[in-house]
Amino acid sequence: CYGTTLSRLIADKKTSAAAMMLKKTDKPVSEIIRELNFGTECYFYSLFRKKYGCTPLAYRKSESRPAELAGKSGDGGKI
């Protein structure tokens, strides 16, 4: 943590919280941004892309895919 400012640590925690909300809820990105009190959407998208390498919607889609595919295997979930 040395050399990291408090504002960067807070932004990192908030970005992680946003990622969790994207995985676990269906809330719109704009609502997540408001709930976590990011200054602007542009700021949030910039932080998110820097940390995760994609947009929030792309992250949500990629994180929800395995669960969706597991239910669509056609074998009723049996192995």
Side-chain angles (χ1 to χ4, degrees):
C1 287
Y2 293 111
T4 302
T5 65
L6 180 59
S7 61
R8 283 188 188 213
L9 287 173
I10 292 169
D12 185 63
K13 293 290 185 187
K14 287 171 39 173
T15 305
S16 295
M20 181 68 69
M21 291 173 79
L22 287 164
K23 279 194 247 185
K24 298 198 178 271
T25 72
D26 290 330
K27 291 181 180 184
V29 176
S30 59
E31 187 175 333
I32 292 171
I33 291 168
R34 276 193 307 279
E35 284 185 21
L36 294 175
N37 201 25
F38 281 95
T40 65
E41 285 190 26
C42 185
Y43 177 62
F44 169 73
Y45 276 88
S46 174
L47 288 175
F48 197 92
R49 185 180 287 274
K50 190 175 193 177
K51 182 170 183 169
Y52 294 101
C54 61
T55 66
L57 290 178
Y59 180 84
R60 173 178 272 166
K61 188 174 182 179
S62 71
E63 289 297 312
S64 66
R65 253 180 126 196
E68 289 173 4
L69 291 176
K72 293 181 181 177
S73 62
D75 61 6
K78 299 177 186 173
I79 296 177

